[in-house]
Amino acid sequence: MNDNAPQGALGQSIPNVRSGRLVQGGGHFIANLRERDALSAAIVRSPVAHGIITTLDLEAAREVAGVVAVYGAADLDAVCAPWEARHELFPDARVPAERPLAADRVRYVGEPVAIVIAETPFAAMEAAEAVLIEVDELDPLLDPEAATAAGAAPIHPDLAGGAGNVHAVIARRSAQPITGPTKAVSLRLSRLAAQPLETRGVLADYDVADGKLTVHQSHQHPHQMQDIYARLLGLPEHKVRVVCGDVGGAFGMKQQLHPDEMAAVCAARLLGRPVRFTVGRNDSLLSDCQSRDHRFTIEAEWDEAARRVTGFRLRDLCGLGAFPHYPRTSFGESGQAVRLVGAPYAVDRLDAESTLVFQNRPHLGHYRGVGHPVACLATEVMMDRVAREIGEHPIAFRRRHLHDLSAGPVTTPGGIAIDRYRMAECLDALETALGDAPFAARRDEGRMRTGVGIACLLELVAPGPRYYGDGQVRISVNESAVVRMEPSGVVRVATGNTDQGQGADQSIAQIVADELGIDAGAVFVVSGDSENCPYGGGAFGSRGTAHGGAAAHDGARRLKARLLASAGLLLQRAPETLDLKGGAVVGPDGARLMAVADLAATCHFKPYLFPEDHDTGLNTVGRFTPTQDAQVSCAAFAAVVRVDTETGEVHPDRIVAAHDGGLIVNPSLVDAQIQGGTAQGLGQALLEAIRLDDAGQPQTGSWMDYAMPRADDVPAVEVVHIPTLPGEGFAPRGVGEAGNSGAPAAVFNAVLDAIAPLGASLDALPATPLRVWEAIHLR
């Protein structure tokens, strides 16, 4: 419970409004949506990582019983324009065109080359097996180093604007160069696959008579996709409807346009019949956008006399795959990384650079945290190493490096303006929760060695409009909410925000209920529908409560003012002396004067009781447009692990997260977000990696191969909320990405701390048992 939360629905751990329906099997997901005469789609994918298509024979597939159509690239190009993932803030980037199906050349295993439409999914899969594809193979470039090596052939040979496979270079440099002595660490971050329970999918239907396209999609952004389908398919935007209903997880992976989904929508456009396409789990590991894939060296400028880190230098190489991802591009990961290196601390200098290169792998896209985990790892591995080398307590060492805002806001060398900074409180809470025992246990000399890892996170959440606006990328961060009270006193809210399981709808219901003084169960939220919800930005960057909630709060505040104005006329009292509490209009002494439901019914059914110029309408629109580039939040993480020196196995014992989330609307939802993100972060640190052989063939094609944390791998994550400050009012902050951003560094640092006395270290994530064993025994 947030001690400073206003009384009412805010600050209450009310169960998620969707939970009851979902646990009883009442979810409406793409695979089980009922649509009469819906056809099934199957994608034929490239079997090789790189090559020229010499044969694509679709005739045998067309002869399979139940097949309605089989399309190649030329068929879909007739109705769909190609797209380019451009961003005008990076005008020198080299950007290739992409289309639903590969035409002449394939650039990664799993790239779509044909689509089969059939009466049943089994017929579609059988026909897909009958497609004959022959490819003249070329040597694949898989690692970023290989893609930039001297003599490496370009993956996009016809791409103008330079040579080789470099897409772009993103840099942040302070005016003062780094000149002092440095300490250096190099790390490799494996590619990760976001694996939500519901895989990607669409159910698309084109009404030939009306010229209207309706797409049900497992996605985070209905209005963004409405815009994309309209432009690429040449349809009027008002003739496109995108519905994102129950979405079984997303984690940023469902932010972009995937070519196979576009192929299915094109097929529906061509056939004038509903087409359902869902990605199988194996195909999701082939074709979903992936994340991370960094090779970097981080250096810390060291002032020996002051015993302080005074600057950071980062040199990063990032593999973005065969194409940058449309429409949000693939700049976010590296852009955030170079901006955030060293940001939690008062350092004077920054020299950070990330080079993005093409490679024969799937797209690099956005995944929970977007660059934050990279920057946090780079910074915190170095901070822990320096503290260990000089023999200082890792928390005390960090505390000496904190920003001082006593004279006003500060700006980091990476250009981040900090006007709110609760890192000291986060470290205090972390130190209290940990106690001294874990640090004392590090002296154990037995087989099981204990390690403690600390990580501080400066988090940019709830982004503002300039990044996409100045970049000419058609992404809205304005948020609106239509708030309507019915005669029964029930309130319906339509929001441009979306909910993929994080509880955004529940938070909005509690925000509106609290403002109107009614039970949260009397507020019903509709989201995820481009036609029936106001235009909004959907879900990204932990903006759901911060932006969507702010718009709903504004709408509820406007509705409250109307209700009190009407109540004042009926009761012959000044509206400013009245309030709404407990489902009633109350006076200054708290006495109930009139039920809100009775007031609503009077406004709807007896408008003649009011003066003619009085507005009795109970329908308001709330709006919120952020003015900052982003909210700045703080968090501190601690991990305690035991390392078995004979097997290399890592046993996580404790993870503590101290987080500044501002006003906590629903503590249980916030805890769940941080705990879930922390579990994903632990997976990045210890388990998860997309692996390929030398030919680019995936070695992690299912959950039997791609290791993710199980329940017995994750300790109970202890979450400590930093209380809001007096007078902050309605000021929730984003919380959804902190765990996945800070936990990897804390867990990895704990492993390094455990093996450091043995003279061992690691230079790659994940810290698998084999890698840990080799670090200990083969050093």
Side-chain angles (χ1 to χ4, degrees):
M1 176 73 66
N2 187 338
D3 294 335
N4 292 322
Q7 296 301 307
L10 293 187
Q12 305 299 315
S13 290
I14 301 172
N16 190 346
V17 67
R18 296 192 181 202
S19 298
R21 174 171 56 82
L22 294 177
V23 299
Q24 295 179 65
H28 302 290
F29 301 99
I30 299 301
N32 61 12
L33 289 178
R34 296 179 180 178
E35 184 72 29
R36 188 171 60 87
D37 298 331
L39 301 170
S40 295
I43 294 291
V44 181
R45 300 185 183 278
S46 170
V48 302
H50 195 196
I52 307 298
I53 299 174
T54 57
T55 301
L56 183 63
D57 189 342
L58 309 178
E59 292 309 312
R62 291 179 173 131
E63 297 302 317
V64 173
V67 168
V68 175
V70 184
Y71 297 127
D75 301 306
L76 302 194
D77 287 350
V79 296
C80 180
W83 56 88
E84 296 180 355
R86 294 192 176 277
H87 196 298
E88 293 306 317
L89 292 180
F90 308 96
D92 296 330
R94 303 169 66 232
V95 182
E98 191 175 8
R99 45 183 39 87
L101 300 174
D104 304 312
R105 179 187 290 249
V106 291
R107 292 178 171 87
Y108 60 92
V109 173
E111 185 173 8
V113 295
I115 184 170
V116 177
I117 312 298
E119 297 288 351
T120 68
F122 305 104
M125 288 186 287
E126 181 183 351
E129 292 289 335
V131 170
L132 174 62
I133 178 172
E134 295 180 348
V135 179
D136 185 4
E137 291 192 54
L138 302 171
D139 291 335
L141 299 175
L142 305 174
D143 292 327
E145 293 95 333
T148 56
I155 292 172
H156 298 282
D158 56 345
L159 188 59
N165 292 300
V166 174
H167 168 51
V169 177
I170 300 175
R172 290 270 182 174
R173 294 185 174 90
S174 56
Q176 295 177 295
I178 290 178
T179 57
T182 63
K183 302 172 183 290
V185 170
S186 295
L187 280 178
R188 291 177 291 125
L189 275 62
S190 295
R191 272 202 170 213
L192 305 180
Q195 289 289 284
L197 287 178
E198 184 191 19
T199 56
R200 293 185 293 107
V202 298
L203 175 58
D205 186 12
Y206 181 70
D207 186 333
V208 177
D210 190 40
K212 181 176 180 179
L213 174 68
T214 300
V215 182
H216 292 263
Q217 186 164 6
S218 185
H219 207 274
Q220 298 170 232
H221 305 287
H223 290 103
Q224 168 195 299
M225 298 311 296
Q226 175 193 37
D227 172 73
I228 289 173
Y229 292 139
R231 286 188 293 107
L232 297 184
L233 295 173
L235 298 172
E237 188 168 337
H238 71 280
K239 290 287 188 177
V240 178
R241 179 190 180 195
V242 178
V243 182
C244 305
D246 290 327
V247 176
F251 308 126
M253 185 270 289
K254 296 177 182 176
Q255 280 193 349
Q256 313 260 33
L257 173 66
H258 283 78
D260 49 10
E261 294 171 330
M262 190 64 180
V265 175
C266 289
R269 171 75 171 82
L270 287 167
L271 293 170
R273 287 186 61 183
V275 173
R276 188 194 316 268
F277 168 67
T278 57
V279 179
R281 184 60 65 185
N282 291 7
D283 278 359
S284 78
L285 285 161
L286 287 176
S287 61
D288 291 353
C289 72
Q290 298 168 3
S291 62
R292 310 303 183 243
D293 202 358
H294 292 264
R295 313 286 188 271
F296 66 76
T297 297
I298 179 73
E299 298 176 72
E301 184 183 50
W302 177 245
D303 185 330
E304 184 66 42
R307 293 169 66 83
R308 287 181 54 86
V309 173
T310 54
F312 287 96
R313 178 185 290 123
L314 176 77
R315 290 296 179 267
D316 174 53
L317 187 62
C318 176
L320 64 82
F323 298 91
H325 221 173
Y326 182 82
R328 294 168 183 264
T329 76
S330 298
F331 295 116
E333 175 83 354
S334 291
Q336 291 285 62
V338 300
R339 189 181 184 192
L340 284 161
V341 167
Y345 306 112
V347 296
D348 302 321
R349 288 171 283 281
L350 175 67
D351 181 356
E353 178 180 291
S354 180
T355 301
L356 292 82
V357 298
F358 297 114
Q359 55 185 163
N360 292 117
R361 303 190 73 164
H363 309 74
L364 184 87
H366 292 172
Y367 176 43
R368 201 172 192 175
V370 190
H372 288 73
V374 181
C376 188
L377 272 161
T379 303
E380 297 305 313
V381 167
M382 180 57 73
M383 293 294 284
D384 246 24
R385 175 185 166 180
V386 175
R388 189 161 48 244
E389 286 182 358
I390 67 175
E392 188 171 357
H393 192 287
I395 294 179
F397 180 70
R398 286 170 169 82
R399 194 175 276 119
R400 288 200 296 109
H401 286 78
L402 297 185
H403 293 287
D404 181 4
L405 270 65
S406 60
V410 300
T411 300
T412 71
I416 300 169
I418 303 176
D419 60 359
R420 175 190 174 92
Y421 186 68
R422 308 291 300 279
M423 195 69 79
E425 293 97 317
C426 289
L427 286 174
D428 290 345
L430 202 67
E431 194 168 36
T432 299
L434 276 179
D436 295 327
F439 296 97
R442 293 186 301 172
R443 292 191 292 268
D444 179 24
E445 297 291 336
R447 167 179 172 175
M448 302 298 294
R449 302 198 61 88
T450 297
V452 182
I454 307 297
C456 289
L457 173 69
L458 194 73
E459 188 181 18
L460 302 179
V461 295
R466 295 199 65 95
Y467 177 73
Y468 288 124
D470 288 349
Q472 304 301 313
V473 180
R474 296 170 67 86
I475 306 296
S476 173
V477 300
N478 289 327
E479 207 53 75
S480 302
V482 177
V483 184
R484 182 182 85 226
M485 180 172 281
E486 299 186 351
S488 63
V490 162
V491 174
R492 298 189 182 276
V493 182
T495 174
N497 193 48
T498 58
D499 192 328
Q500 291 80 55
Q502 72 271 44
D505 286 1
Q506 178 62 42
S507 294
I508 286 175
Q510 288 181 230
I511 289 167
V512 171
D514 187 82
E515 185 67 20
L516 298 178
I518 59 178
D519 187 89
V523 180
F524 298 88
V525 179
V526 177
S527 62
D529 188 335
S530 69
E531 187 167 87
N532 295 312
C533 295
Y535 205 98
F540 69 97
S542 293
R543 65 185 297 275
T545 303
H547 290 180
H553 182 260
D554 181 56
R557 182 181 57 80
R558 295 172 185 272
L559 178 57
K560 179 178 181 178
R562 288 194 183 183
L563 287 166
L564 292 180
S566 296
L569 290 170
L570 291 174
L571 298 170
Q572 295 296 293
R573 295 185 181 223
E576 59 270 20
T577 66
L578 304 175
D579 202 355
L580 302 179
K581 290 184 179 179
V585 179
V586 300
D589 58 355
R592 294 171 61 91
L593 304 176
M594 185 180 192
V596 169
D598 291 340
L599 174 59
T602 302
C603 290
H604 278 285
F605 302 136
K606 298 181 180 180
Y608 51 81
L609 296 179
F610 300 92
E612 289 186 4
D613 60 350
H614 178 70
D615 185 358
T616 59
L618 300 183
N619 193 81
T620 62
V621 178
R623 295 182 177 86
F624 180 76
T625 298
T627 56
Q628 296 177 304
D629 285 346
Q631 293 179 348
V632 178
S633 291
C634 294
F637 287 78
V640 182
V641 307
R642 287 174 297 118
V643 175
D644 187 330
T645 57
E646 293 189 11
T647 66
E649 190 174 4
V650 178
H651 302 270
D653 285 344
R654 290 185 70 187
I655 298 179
V656 183
H659 186 266
D660 170 27
L663 172 67
I664 305 298
V665 174
N666 185 313
S668 64
L669 292 179
V670 172
D671 288 352
Q673 283 293 292
I674 295 175
Q675 290 162 349
T678 297
Q680 289 178 309
L682 183 144
Q684 177 178 343
L686 301 181
L687 297 166
E688 297 185 42
I690 292 287
R691 294 185 173 89
L692 308 176
D693 67 13
D694 291 342
Q697 294 296 326
Q699 303 298 291
T700 45
S702 74
W703 283 359
M704 295 292 289
D705 312 304
Y706 186 77
M708 293 182 293
R710 302 174 304 184
D712 58 351
D713 292 320
V714 185
V717 179
E718 307 161 44
V719 181
V720 182
H721 299 297
I722 305 303
T724 56
L725 298 172
E728 285 192 316
F730 183 81
R733 309 184 79 78
V735 300
E737 297 170 277
N740 204 23
S741 299
V747 173
F748 190 68
N749 272 342
V751 176
L752 295 178
D753 185 57
I755 65 176
L758 303 175
S761 187
L762 293 166
D763 63 358
L765 278 74
T768 61
L770 178 59
R771 279 179 173 163
V772 174
W773 186 90
E774 289 177 341
I776 295 171
H777 296 281
L778 303 181
R779 61 183 184 277

